Amino acid sequence: MRTHARAVVIGGGVVGASVLYHLTKRGWTDVMLIERSELTSGSTWHAAGGMHTVNGDPNVAKLQAYTINLYKEIEAISGQSCSIHMTGGIMLAGSPERHDFLKMMRSRARYLGLDMEMISVDEAAKMFPLMDKSHFVGALYNSLEGHVDPTGVTNAYAKSARIAGAEVVRFNRVVETNQRPDGSWDVVTEKGTIHAEHVINAGGLWAREVGRMAGLELPVMAMEHHYIITEDIPEVLASPKEQLHVIDFDGEIYMRQEGKGGMLIGTYERAGVPWSERQTPWNFGHELLPNDLERIAPSLEVGFSHYPALGRAGIKKVINGPFTFTPDGNPLVGPVRGLKNYWVACGVMAGLSQGGGVGLSLSNWMVDGDPGADIWGMDVARYGDWTSMAYTNAKVRENYSRRWRVRFPNEELPAARKLKTTPIYDSLAAKGAVFGASYGLEYATWFAPSGTDQNENWGFERTNAFAPMLAEVKNVRDNVGLMEISTYAKYEVTGSGAEAFLSRVLAGRMPKTGRIALNPMLNEQGKIIGDFTVAKPADNCFFLIGAGVAEHYHMRWFEQHMPPTGVAIRAFGAELVGLTIAGPKSRDVLGSLVADDLSTAAFPFLSIRRMEVGLIPALVARISFTGDLGYELWVKPEHQRALFEALLAAGQPYGIGLFGARALNAMRLEKGYGSWAREYRPIYTPREAGMDRLIAMTKGSFIGRDAMMRLSNETPAMSLLNFAVDANGADAFGDEPILHGGKVAGWVTSGGYSPTAQQSIAMGYVFSEFTDKDEGFAIEIVGENRAAHRLRQPLFDPEGTRLRA
Ligand SMILES: Cc1cc2nc3c(=O)[nH]c(=O)nc-3n(C[C@H](O)[C@H](O)[C@H](O)COP(=O)(O)OP(=O)(O)OC[C@H]3O[C@@H](n4cnc5c(N)ncnc54)[C@H](O)[C@@H]3O)c2cc1C
């Protein structure tokens, strides 16, 4: 065994083996994989081997397609069969909602270039004669589905990596990972210590335990999972073709052929059971768990009634094995904040669909410093240190039980709620707030007027939140609205080197003292990795506001780029909370509580100042994401309640009303403002996003400048455009294709409704060949093409006079 390696992968499941292979493919051949037992000895060996491109995040779906197409490559290199069965698959809808959901999946596949088509029940039954047509209303056909042999795949990865120079050590447990002062790692194993530059935790079922060796508590937990294999079925034996893969959403089951005549049926039963909730035993070997047919009986009963031939066949084998999930069901990939050269590739619930994409992006990240794709949906940094084990447990159970259920636009899920609340939570609740959770923090999405239902009737059509949202916006536009904004991320950057540091990591101008400047953050490739409001309340002191869900992600980047001395950075989290007031009368409201002159001459748009607001010391910024005259007020949590009450009382004569995040979203859309994780993601450049006016090319060196220079003579591949849409009761939400002349012209990033213009609207990226056009667009909403025309200017206050008034 080598005693030194550039990188050591801990864990020889399908994911670790893929990471090893991809590192060698990228030229890192001095790499090792350490496996406690035989390869595949976690959840991989008993996986059903199914693979498909279904994922709620289109970027993850793309990486799944990459994975599936990879298997021929590793077979060819290694000579090891992966037993690839590309059967194609159908997803069956038993309800109109599910049918709509499938139409939306097909729409998304259209712009992702994936081959999926809606088919009728009759067509589905021709492809899969075992089904009883009476239970279904339609289906989606996906050519990129099938199954492989998980052990074959893992060995093919490992062999391919070995051929390129990697070493695979089996039957050798890693017992410690100790970091040296220079950031490299001593990986202590049963057979000796390896000094490694980089460590990758691909511990699968033991990812938590491996993480704990480095002081990490990863939000991962295993659930038990059953599948059964039937005896041979005459209809299957007689069929000239292998049976398709089938996902039956309403039965919560999936199926495929096993062997010559059997069928494999897996269930995501609602009463799912976690396994080894706190600690995975090291002595768990190539083992299965006791069967619990009673638990999966409701799902099987649905299966037997939907596919009568399965009910007639005997059960040959039952498999119950554990595999890991994260709170949102997507993997944890990437560098861990604060642990130099420590990487994770775990929490992968669909290793045969996703393992290749995980290996590809992680190896790119390690070699190039960038994953090479938009993997925000899988980035380990999307969780901070607030994910307690109990939170993970509750979310994982919820996720498992909802695996095949429709998630509607804006739908909030009930598990692990009220983990984080602000001091005005109860006051908001008393006023009818309907809450959502973002990064674990409760926030008001809309306010149900007194006497109306606070439960939202989720669906693809506008819900009962629509009318209250319109009223909330109207009150902001006519009078003044009050909203809590504690979900934003807030940072303080101080020290003699603060300005130089920020000017290097951010691409815009630094504000003067007392002023605010909007600032995109770019990576070396010139792609957008953040958008910040940067304020300078005092000399050598900056206050930044960014996307709340990206706090950990952005802190990781800041910390990686900090100079050794002269700068201190702090993320406030819930230690600083905020309220905003916006609307034409907001100045009057604030003016009645402060001694400061709020006139535009004295406190213009994009100003910041410490003020006493009533009794409360606050940092007040004249800025508003509503696109209206407005202020953001930041205070310590102990002052928030007093500030809330003071603003409400002072606002009474001006008709102050509360508004929620839905109203804010409508207002930012009608103003044409983009938002992180929607319009701004690491696949877009500032020119594509229309942010180039914020880039200070002349200020000197900053991260991303060279790439911006290189790209400056090229036409942007796409541009972010705004559209008015002829919708009919259902608005675009995001991820719908934008069409022109029947061709895919781009995709929607956000959609909604402009209360001011009373118009359905959408924002999205459109390829350059279509960006000179105004008419002839269509947006596919719930399977229907809706005519759309480009908006050349925002529907609300195009000149920005309200904002600057
Ligand atoms: C019943 C069942 C059916 C499934 N069906 C499918 C399917 O159809 N399609 C699909 O895509 N997925 C399926 N899965 C999920 C799939 O099995 C997982 O996504 C996949 O196996 C995860 O692989 P991994 O490499 O992350 O983890 P694991 O397979 O758990 O591998 C981790 C490895 O790390 C090793 N290890 C851990 N700690 C150490 C240490 N300290 N030192 C050395 N080695 C260590 C372990 O021994 C293990 O071999 C199924 C799972 C189950 C249980």
Side-chain angles (χ1 to χ4, degrees), residues 224-228 251-255 264-270 292 295-301 323 400 403-404:
E224 294 192 10
H225 183 69
H226 281 86
Y227 61 78
I228 63 163
E252 323 257 354
I253 51 181
Y254 62 87
M255 273 173 294
L264 180 156
I265 312 165
T267 69
Y268 279 89
E269 68 280 5
R270 293 196 177 185
D292 186 354
R295 187 187 339 139
I296 63 169
S299 297
L300 290 183
E301 272 162 31
F323 68 118
Y400 187 90
R403 172 84 174 100
W404 301 128

PDB file of all heavy atoms in Angstrom, residues 224-228 251-255 264-270 292 295-301 323 400 403-404:
ATOM      1  N   GLU A 224     -34.651   2.168   5.509  1.00  0.00           N
ATOM      2  CA  GLU A 224     -34.806   0.805   4.993  1.00  0.00           C
ATOM      3  C   GLU A 224     -35.548   0.877   3.665  1.00  0.00           C
ATOM      4  O   GLU A 224     -36.420   1.736   3.485  1.00  0.00           O
ATOM      5  CB  GLU A 224     -35.629  -0.032   5.974  1.00  0.00           C
ATOM      6  CG  GLU A 224     -34.939  -0.259   7.290  1.00  0.00           C
ATOM      7  CD  GLU A 224     -35.645  -1.317   8.129  1.00  0.00           C
ATOM      8  OE1 GLU A 224     -36.550  -2.007   7.610  1.00  0.00           O
ATOM      9  OE2 GLU A 224     -35.277  -1.434   9.303  1.00  0.00           O
ATOM     10  N   HIS A 225     -35.206  -0.016   2.759  1.00  0.00           N
ATOM     11  CA  HIS A 225     -35.885  -0.004   1.460  1.00  0.00           C
ATOM     12  C   HIS A 225     -36.075  -1.438   0.975  1.00  0.00           C
ATOM     13  O   HIS A 225     -35.140  -2.222   0.966  1.00  0.00           O
ATOM     14  CB  HIS A 225     -35.056   0.793   0.460  1.00  0.00           C
ATOM     15  CG  HIS A 225     -35.709   0.923  -0.882  1.00  0.00           C
ATOM     16  ND1 HIS A 225     -36.833   1.676  -1.085  1.00  0.00           N
ATOM     17  CD2 HIS A 225     -35.403   0.376  -2.086  1.00  0.00           C
ATOM     18  CE1 HIS A 225     -37.190   1.604  -2.354  1.00  0.00           C
ATOM     19  NE2 HIS A 225     -36.340   0.816  -2.985  1.00  0.00           N
ATOM     20  N   HIS A 226     -37.314  -1.734   0.571  1.00  0.00           N
ATOM     21  CA  HIS A 226     -37.647  -3.092   0.135  1.00  0.00           C
ATOM     22  C   HIS A 226     -37.835  -3.180  -1.374  1.00  0.00           C
ATOM     23  O   HIS A 226     -38.400  -2.256  -1.967  1.00  0.00           O
ATOM     24  CB  HIS A 226     -39.019  -3.512   0.691  1.00  0.00           C
ATOM     25  CG  HIS A 226     -39.027  -3.952   2.099  1.00  0.00           C
ATOM     26  ND1 HIS A 226     -39.139  -3.079   3.142  1.00  0.00           N
ATOM     27  CD2 HIS A 226     -38.973  -5.188   2.657  1.00  0.00           C
ATOM     28  CE1 HIS A 226     -39.164  -3.747   4.284  1.00  0.00           C
ATOM     29  NE2 HIS A 226     -39.058  -5.033   4.014  1.00  0.00           N
ATOM     30  N   TYR A 227     -37.421  -4.272  -1.936  1.00  0.00           N
ATOM     31  CA  TYR A 227     -38.010  -4.676  -3.211  1.00  0.00           C
ATOM     32  C   TYR A 227     -38.231  -6.175  -3.190  1.00  0.00           C
ATOM     33  O   TYR A 227     -37.581  -6.893  -2.419  1.00  0.00           O
ATOM     34  CB  TYR A 227     -37.203  -4.218  -4.424  1.00  0.00           C
ATOM     35  CG  TYR A 227     -35.784  -4.723  -4.573  1.00  0.00           C
ATOM     36  CD1 TYR A 227     -35.526  -6.007  -5.046  1.00  0.00           C
ATOM     37  CD2 TYR A 227     -34.708  -3.895  -4.290  1.00  0.00           C
ATOM     38  CE1 TYR A 227     -34.215  -6.451  -5.223  1.00  0.00           C
ATOM     39  CE2 TYR A 227     -33.399  -4.324  -4.453  1.00  0.00           C
ATOM     40  CZ  TYR A 227     -33.164  -5.611  -4.921  1.00  0.00           C
ATOM     41  OH  TYR A 227     -31.880  -6.048  -5.092  1.00  0.00           O
ATOM     42  N   ILE A 228     -39.184  -6.602  -3.996  1.00  0.00           N
ATOM     43  CA  ILE A 228     -39.433  -8.042  -4.086  1.00  0.00           C
ATOM     44  C   ILE A 228     -39.167  -8.495  -5.520  1.00  0.00           C
ATOM     45  O   ILE A 228     -39.243  -7.692  -6.457  1.00  0.00           O
ATOM     46  CB  ILE A 228     -40.881  -8.419  -3.686  1.00  0.00           C
ATOM     47  CG1 ILE A 228     -41.889  -7.784  -4.667  1.00  0.00           C
ATOM     48  CG2 ILE A 228     -41.196  -8.019  -2.268  1.00  0.00           C
ATOM     49  CD1 ILE A 228     -43.256  -8.430  -4.586  1.00  0.00           C
ATOM     50  N   GLY A 251     -49.087   4.320  -6.955  1.00  0.00           N
ATOM     51  CA  GLY A 251     -48.848   3.145  -6.127  1.00  0.00           C
ATOM     52  C   GLY A 251     -47.543   3.265  -5.355  1.00  0.00           C
ATOM     53  O   GLY A 251     -47.201   2.379  -4.583  1.00  0.00           O
ATOM     54  N   GLU A 252     -46.758   4.318  -5.580  1.00  0.00           N
ATOM     55  CA  GLU A 252     -45.456   4.547  -4.936  1.00  0.00           C
ATOM     56  C   GLU A 252     -44.513   3.376  -5.213  1.00  0.00           C
ATOM     57  O   GLU A 252     -43.769   2.933  -4.337  1.00  0.00           O
ATOM     58  CB  GLU A 252     -45.592   4.721  -3.402  1.00  0.00           C
ATOM     59  CG  GLU A 252     -46.817   5.460  -2.956  1.00  0.00           C
ATOM     60  CD  GLU A 252     -46.564   6.899  -2.543  1.00  0.00           C
ATOM     61  OE1 GLU A 252     -45.401   7.304  -2.495  1.00  0.00           O
ATOM     62  OE2 GLU A 252     -47.556   7.604  -2.311  1.00  0.00           O
ATOM     63  N   ILE A 253     -44.594   2.827  -6.411  1.00  0.00           N
ATOM     64  CA  ILE A 253     -43.761   1.663  -6.712  1.00  0.00           C
ATOM     65  C   ILE A 253     -43.014   1.846  -8.033  1.00  0.00           C
ATOM     66  O   ILE A 253     -43.410   2.644  -8.874  1.00  0.00           O
ATOM     67  CB  ILE A 253     -44.597   0.348  -6.798  1.00  0.00           C
ATOM     68  CG1 ILE A 253     -45.797   0.532  -7.725  1.00  0.00           C
ATOM     69  CG2 ILE A 253     -45.009  -0.126  -5.448  1.00  0.00           C
ATOM     70  CD1 ILE A 253     -46.663  -0.699  -7.831  1.00  0.00           C
ATOM     71  N   TYR A 254     -41.933   1.087  -8.148  1.00  0.00           N
ATOM     72  CA  TYR A 254     -41.222   1.015  -9.426  1.00  0.00           C
ATOM     73  C   TYR A 254     -41.013  -0.452  -9.762  1.00  0.00           C
ATOM     74  O   TYR A 254     -41.029  -1.315  -8.871  1.00  0.00           O
ATOM     75  CB  TYR A 254     -39.896   1.789  -9.356  1.00  0.00           C
ATOM     76  CG  TYR A 254     -38.907   1.251  -8.350  1.00  0.00           C
ATOM     77  CD1 TYR A 254     -38.003   0.240  -8.676  1.00  0.00           C
ATOM     78  CD2 TYR A 254     -38.881   1.742  -7.047  1.00  0.00           C
ATOM     79  CE1 TYR A 254     -37.097  -0.246  -7.744  1.00  0.00           C
ATOM     80  CE2 TYR A 254     -37.971   1.256  -6.113  1.00  0.00           C
ATOM     81  CZ  TYR A 254     -37.090   0.270  -6.470  1.00  0.00           C
ATOM     82  OH  TYR A 254     -36.201  -0.235  -5.541  1.00  0.00           O
ATOM     83  N   MET A 255     -40.838  -0.716 -11.040  1.00  0.00           N
ATOM     84  CA  MET A 255     -40.744  -2.111 -11.491  1.00  0.00           C
ATOM     85  C   MET A 255     -39.799  -2.261 -12.656  1.00  0.00           C
ATOM     86  O   MET A 255     -39.634  -1.324 -13.443  1.00  0.00           O
ATOM     87  CB  MET A 255     -42.119  -2.560 -12.017  1.00  0.00           C
ATOM     88  CG  MET A 255     -43.029  -3.092 -10.998  1.00  0.00           C
ATOM     89  SD  MET A 255     -44.634  -3.357 -11.748  1.00  0.00           S
ATOM     90  CE  MET A 255     -45.136  -1.736 -12.112  1.00  0.00           C
ATOM     91  N   LEU A 264     -39.186  -7.292 -10.782  1.00  0.00           N
ATOM     92  CA  LEU A 264     -38.695  -6.693  -9.525  1.00  0.00           C
ATOM     93  C   LEU A 264     -39.621  -5.516  -9.208  1.00  0.00           C
ATOM     94  O   LEU A 264     -39.856  -4.668 -10.070  1.00  0.00           O
ATOM     95  CB  LEU A 264     -37.254  -6.233  -9.740  1.00  0.00           C
ATOM     96  CG  LEU A 264     -36.502  -5.573  -8.585  1.00  0.00           C
ATOM     97  CD1 LEU A 264     -34.996  -5.756  -8.798  1.00  0.00           C
ATOM     98  CD2 LEU A 264     -36.826  -4.095  -8.444  1.00  0.00           C
ATOM     99  N   ILE A 265     -40.158  -5.494  -8.001  1.00  0.00           N
ATOM    100  CA  ILE A 265     -41.070  -4.405  -7.607  1.00  0.00           C
ATOM    101  C   ILE A 265     -40.522  -3.748  -6.344  1.00  0.00           C
ATOM    102  O   ILE A 265     -40.364  -4.411  -5.316  1.00  0.00           O
ATOM    103  CB  ILE A 265     -42.491  -4.936  -7.288  1.00  0.00           C
ATOM    104  CG1 ILE A 265     -42.969  -5.868  -8.394  1.00  0.00           C
ATOM    105  CG2 ILE A 265     -43.469  -3.776  -7.088  1.00  0.00           C
ATOM    106  CD1 ILE A 265     -44.168  -6.694  -7.981  1.00  0.00           C
ATOM    107  N   GLY A 266     -40.217  -2.478  -6.421  1.00  0.00           N
ATOM    108  CA  GLY A 266     -39.714  -1.743  -5.259  1.00  0.00           C
ATOM    109  C   GLY A 266     -40.750  -0.755  -4.781  1.00  0.00           C
ATOM    110  O   GLY A 266     -41.564  -0.261  -5.568  1.00  0.00           O
ATOM    111  N   THR A 267     -40.720  -0.464  -3.475  1.00  0.00           N
ATOM    112  CA  THR A 267     -41.737   0.433  -2.929  1.00  0.00           C
ATOM    113  C   THR A 267     -41.104   1.592  -2.158  1.00  0.00           C
ATOM    114  O   THR A 267     -40.054   1.427  -1.531  1.00  0.00           O
ATOM    115  CB  THR A 267     -42.654  -0.305  -1.923  1.00  0.00           C
ATOM    116  OG1 THR A 267     -41.880  -0.606  -0.760  1.00  0.00           O
ATOM    117  CG2 THR A 267     -43.199  -1.591  -2.487  1.00  0.00           C
ATOM    118  N   TYR A 268     -41.727   2.729  -2.252  1.00  0.00           N
ATOM    119  CA  TYR A 268     -41.397   3.837  -1.350  1.00  0.00           C
ATOM    120  C   TYR A 268     -42.616   4.035  -0.470  1.00  0.00           C
ATOM    121  O   TYR A 268     -43.400   4.963  -0.667  1.00  0.00           O
ATOM    122  CB  TYR A 268     -41.060   5.096  -2.140  1.00  0.00           C
ATOM    123  CG  TYR A 268     -39.635   5.081  -2.647  1.00  0.00           C
ATOM    124  CD1 TYR A 268     -39.320   4.532  -3.881  1.00  0.00           C
ATOM    125  CD2 TYR A 268     -38.615   5.591  -1.866  1.00  0.00           C
ATOM    126  CE1 TYR A 268     -38.006   4.494  -4.339  1.00  0.00           C
ATOM    127  CE2 TYR A 268     -37.298   5.556  -2.311  1.00  0.00           C
ATOM    128  CZ  TYR A 268     -37.007   5.006  -3.540  1.00  0.00           C
ATOM    129  OH  TYR A 268     -35.710   4.968  -3.974  1.00  0.00           O
ATOM    130  N   GLU A 269     -42.764   3.114   0.461  1.00  0.00           N
ATOM    131  CA  GLU A 269     -43.969   3.104   1.282  1.00  0.00           C
ATOM    132  C   GLU A 269     -44.035   4.351   2.171  1.00  0.00           C
ATOM    133  O   GLU A 269     -43.015   4.884   2.576  1.00  0.00           O
ATOM    134  CB  GLU A 269     -44.046   1.817   2.132  1.00  0.00           C
ATOM    135  CG  GLU A 269     -42.993   1.706   3.220  1.00  0.00           C
ATOM    136  CD  GLU A 269     -41.616   1.248   2.733  1.00  0.00           C
ATOM    137  OE1 GLU A 269     -41.428   1.091   1.529  1.00  0.00           O
ATOM    138  OE2 GLU A 269     -40.729   1.082   3.583  1.00  0.00           O
ATOM    139  N   ARG A 270     -45.265   4.767   2.469  1.00  0.00           N
ATOM    140  CA  ARG A 270     -45.425   6.008   3.244  1.00  0.00           C
ATOM    141  C   ARG A 270     -44.929   5.852   4.668  1.00  0.00           C
ATOM    142  O   ARG A 270     -44.444   6.799   5.275  1.00  0.00           O
ATOM    143  CB  ARG A 270     -46.886   6.444   3.238  1.00  0.00           C
ATOM    144  CG  ARG A 270     -47.266   6.837   1.831  1.00  0.00           C
ATOM    145  CD  ARG A 270     -48.507   7.634   1.705  1.00  0.00           C
ATOM    146  NE  ARG A 270     -48.638   7.967   0.275  1.00  0.00           N
ATOM    147  CZ  ARG A 270     -49.562   8.734  -0.220  1.00  0.00           C
ATOM    148  NH1 ARG A 270     -50.455   9.268   0.559  1.00  0.00           N
ATOM    149  NH2 ARG A 270     -49.593   8.986  -1.524  1.00  0.00           N
ATOM    150  N   ASP A 292     -40.190  -6.793   6.185  1.00  0.00           N
ATOM    151  CA  ASP A 292     -41.416  -6.380   6.853  1.00  0.00           C
ATOM    152  C   ASP A 292     -42.481  -6.206   5.765  1.00  0.00           C
ATOM    153  O   ASP A 292     -42.782  -5.088   5.345  1.00  0.00           O
ATOM    154  CB  ASP A 292     -41.168  -5.071   7.619  1.00  0.00           C
ATOM    155  CG  ASP A 292     -42.386  -4.669   8.445  1.00  0.00           C
ATOM    156  OD1 ASP A 292     -43.428  -5.346   8.311  1.00  0.00           O
ATOM    157  OD2 ASP A 292     -42.305  -3.690   9.190  1.00  0.00           O
ATOM    158  N   ARG A 295     -45.439  -3.866   6.250  1.00  0.00           N
ATOM    159  CA  ARG A 295     -45.241  -2.428   6.053  1.00  0.00           C
ATOM    160  C   ARG A 295     -45.418  -2.037   4.591  1.00  0.00           C
ATOM    161  O   ARG A 295     -45.943  -0.987   4.270  1.00  0.00           O
ATOM    162  CB  ARG A 295     -43.841  -2.044   6.543  1.00  0.00           C
ATOM    163  CG  ARG A 295     -43.648  -0.566   6.511  1.00  0.00           C
ATOM    164  CD  ARG A 295     -42.239  -0.097   6.821  1.00  0.00           C
ATOM    165  NE  ARG A 295     -41.412  -1.017   7.531  1.00  0.00           N
ATOM    166  CZ  ARG A 295     -40.120  -1.201   7.245  1.00  0.00           C
ATOM    167  NH1 ARG A 295     -39.558  -0.522   6.272  1.00  0.00           N
ATOM    168  NH2 ARG A 295     -39.401  -2.051   7.934  1.00  0.00           N
ATOM    169  N   ILE A 296     -44.951  -2.913   3.708  1.00  0.00           N
ATOM    170  CA  ILE A 296     -45.044  -2.539   2.293  1.00  0.00           C
ATOM    171  C   ILE A 296     -46.316  -3.078   1.635  1.00  0.00           C
ATOM    172  O   ILE A 296     -46.548  -2.852   0.450  1.00  0.00           O
ATOM    173  CB  ILE A 296     -43.781  -2.968   1.502  1.00  0.00           C
ATOM    174  CG1 ILE A 296     -43.611  -4.494   1.495  1.00  0.00           C
ATOM    175  CG2 ILE A 296     -42.542  -2.296   2.048  1.00  0.00           C
ATOM    176  CD1 ILE A 296     -42.546  -4.956   0.499  1.00  0.00           C
ATOM    177  N   ALA A 297     -47.139  -3.787   2.443  1.00  0.00           N
ATOM    178  CA  ALA A 297     -48.343  -4.409   1.873  1.00  0.00           C
ATOM    179  C   ALA A 297     -49.245  -3.403   1.153  1.00  0.00           C
ATOM    180  O   ALA A 297     -49.724  -3.684   0.041  1.00  0.00           O
ATOM    181  CB  ALA A 297     -49.113  -5.149   2.960  1.00  0.00           C
ATOM    182  N   PRO A 298     -49.505  -2.200   1.733  1.00  0.00           N
ATOM    183  CA  PRO A 298     -50.402  -1.274   1.018  1.00  0.00           C
ATOM    184  C   PRO A 298     -49.875  -0.937  -0.380  1.00  0.00           C
ATOM    185  O   PRO A 298     -50.647  -0.866  -1.338  1.00  0.00           O
ATOM    186  CB  PRO A 298     -50.410  -0.022   1.911  1.00  0.00           C
ATOM    187  CG  PRO A 298     -50.025  -0.503   3.274  1.00  0.00           C
ATOM    188  CD  PRO A 298     -49.118  -1.669   3.063  1.00  0.00           C
ATOM    189  N   SER A 299     -48.555  -0.754  -0.505  1.00  0.00           N
ATOM    190  CA  SER A 299     -47.996  -0.453  -1.830  1.00  0.00           C
ATOM    191  C   SER A 299     -48.114  -1.675  -2.740  1.00  0.00           C
ATOM    192  O   SER A 299     -48.463  -1.551  -3.924  1.00  0.00           O
ATOM    193  CB  SER A 299     -46.515  -0.067  -1.723  1.00  0.00           C
ATOM    194  OG  SER A 299     -46.371   1.100  -0.974  1.00  0.00           O
ATOM    195  N   LEU A 300     -47.818  -2.856  -2.181  1.00  0.00           N
ATOM    196  CA  LEU A 300     -47.896  -4.062  -3.017  1.00  0.00           C
ATOM    197  C   LEU A 300     -49.324  -4.312  -3.482  1.00  0.00           C
ATOM    198  O   LEU A 300     -49.557  -4.719  -4.624  1.00  0.00           O
ATOM    199  CB  LEU A 300     -47.375  -5.281  -2.247  1.00  0.00           C
ATOM    200  CG  LEU A 300     -45.860  -5.308  -1.982  1.00  0.00           C
ATOM    201  CD1 LEU A 300     -45.468  -6.600  -1.267  1.00  0.00           C
ATOM    202  CD2 LEU A 300     -45.062  -5.176  -3.284  1.00  0.00           C
ATOM    203  N   GLU A 301     -50.277  -4.053  -2.585  1.00  0.00           N
ATOM    204  CA  GLU A 301     -51.685  -4.262  -2.973  1.00  0.00           C
ATOM    205  C   GLU A 301     -52.049  -3.392  -4.167  1.00  0.00           C
ATOM    206  O   GLU A 301     -52.711  -3.841  -5.101  1.00  0.00           O
ATOM    207  CB  GLU A 301     -52.609  -3.935  -1.801  1.00  0.00           C
ATOM    208  CG  GLU A 301     -52.832  -5.141  -0.912  1.00  0.00           C
ATOM    209  CD  GLU A 301     -53.376  -4.745   0.455  1.00  0.00           C
ATOM    210  OE1 GLU A 301     -54.097  -3.740   0.551  1.00  0.00           O
ATOM    211  OE2 GLU A 301     -53.042  -5.450   1.427  1.00  0.00           O
ATOM    212  N   PHE A 323     -30.238   2.512   2.604  1.00  0.00           N
ATOM    213  CA  PHE A 323     -29.416   3.455   1.843  1.00  0.00           C
ATOM    214  C   PHE A 323     -29.716   4.877   2.283  1.00  0.00           C
ATOM    215  O   PHE A 323     -30.755   5.146   2.874  1.00  0.00           O
ATOM    216  CB  PHE A 323     -29.508   3.259   0.335  1.00  0.00           C
ATOM    217  CG  PHE A 323     -30.820   3.575  -0.326  1.00  0.00           C
ATOM    218  CD1 PHE A 323     -30.897   4.582  -1.285  1.00  0.00           C
ATOM    219  CD2 PHE A 323     -31.946   2.853  -0.049  1.00  0.00           C
ATOM    220  CE1 PHE A 323     -32.086   4.850  -1.938  1.00  0.00           C
ATOM    221  CE2 PHE A 323     -33.148   3.116  -0.696  1.00  0.00           C
ATOM    222  CZ  PHE A 323     -33.213   4.119  -1.637  1.00  0.00           C
ATOM    223  N   TYR A 400     -38.643  10.437   1.976  1.00  0.00           N
ATOM    224  CA  TYR A 400     -38.829   9.046   1.546  1.00  0.00           C
ATOM    225  C   TYR A 400     -40.309   8.772   1.269  1.00  0.00           C
ATOM    226  O   TYR A 400     -40.669   8.213   0.243  1.00  0.00           O
ATOM    227  CB  TYR A 400     -38.307   8.106   2.632  1.00  0.00           C
ATOM    228  CG  TYR A 400     -38.300   6.651   2.226  1.00  0.00           C
ATOM    229  CD1 TYR A 400     -37.183   6.088   1.615  1.00  0.00           C
ATOM    230  CD2 TYR A 400     -39.401   5.828   2.456  1.00  0.00           C
ATOM    231  CE1 TYR A 400     -37.173   4.752   1.240  1.00  0.00           C
ATOM    232  CE2 TYR A 400     -39.405   4.495   2.086  1.00  0.00           C
ATOM    233  CZ  TYR A 400     -38.282   3.961   1.480  1.00  0.00           C
ATOM    234  OH  TYR A 400     -38.266   2.638   1.095  1.00  0.00           O
ATOM    235  N   ARG A 403     -41.522  10.327  -1.999  1.00  0.00           N
ATOM    236  CA  ARG A 403     -40.610  10.119  -3.130  1.00  0.00           C
ATOM    237  C   ARG A 403     -41.293  10.288  -4.483  1.00  0.00           C
ATOM    238  O   ARG A 403     -40.765  10.880  -5.394  1.00  0.00           O
ATOM    239  CB  ARG A 403     -40.009   8.713  -3.004  1.00  0.00           C
ATOM    240  CG  ARG A 403     -39.186   8.246  -4.159  1.00  0.00           C
ATOM    241  CD  ARG A 403     -37.748   8.734  -4.070  1.00  0.00           C
ATOM    242  NE  ARG A 403     -36.942   8.166  -5.119  1.00  0.00           N
ATOM    243  CZ  ARG A 403     -36.621   8.804  -6.241  1.00  0.00           C
ATOM    244  NH1 ARG A 403     -37.042  10.019  -6.454  1.00  0.00           N
ATOM    245  NH2 ARG A 403     -35.872   8.218  -7.150  1.00  0.00           N
ATOM    246  N   TRP A 404     -42.472   9.736  -4.609  1.00  0.00           N
ATOM    247  CA  TRP A 404     -43.157   9.801  -5.902  1.00  0.00           C
ATOM    248  C   TRP A 404     -44.367  10.715  -5.864  1.00  0.00           C
ATOM    249  O   TRP A 404     -45.276  10.574  -6.655  1.00  0.00           O
ATOM    250  CB  TRP A 404     -43.600   8.399  -6.352  1.00  0.00           C
ATOM    251  CG  TRP A 404     -42.524   7.382  -6.515  1.00  0.00           C
ATOM    252  CD1 TRP A 404     -42.507   6.135  -5.954  1.00  0.00           C
ATOM    253  CD2 TRP A 404     -41.335   7.461  -7.326  1.00  0.00           C
ATOM    254  NE1 TRP A 404     -41.384   5.463  -6.341  1.00  0.00           N
ATOM    255  CE2 TRP A 404     -40.641   6.242  -7.190  1.00  0.00           C
ATOM    256  CE3 TRP A 404     -40.772   8.439  -8.147  1.00  0.00           C
ATOM    257  CZ2 TRP A 404     -39.439   5.966  -7.836  1.00  0.00           C
ATOM    258  CZ3 TRP A 404     -39.572   8.175  -8.781  1.00  0.00           C
ATOM    259  CH2 TRP A 404     -38.928   6.951  -8.632  1.00  0.00           C
TER     260      TRP A 404
END
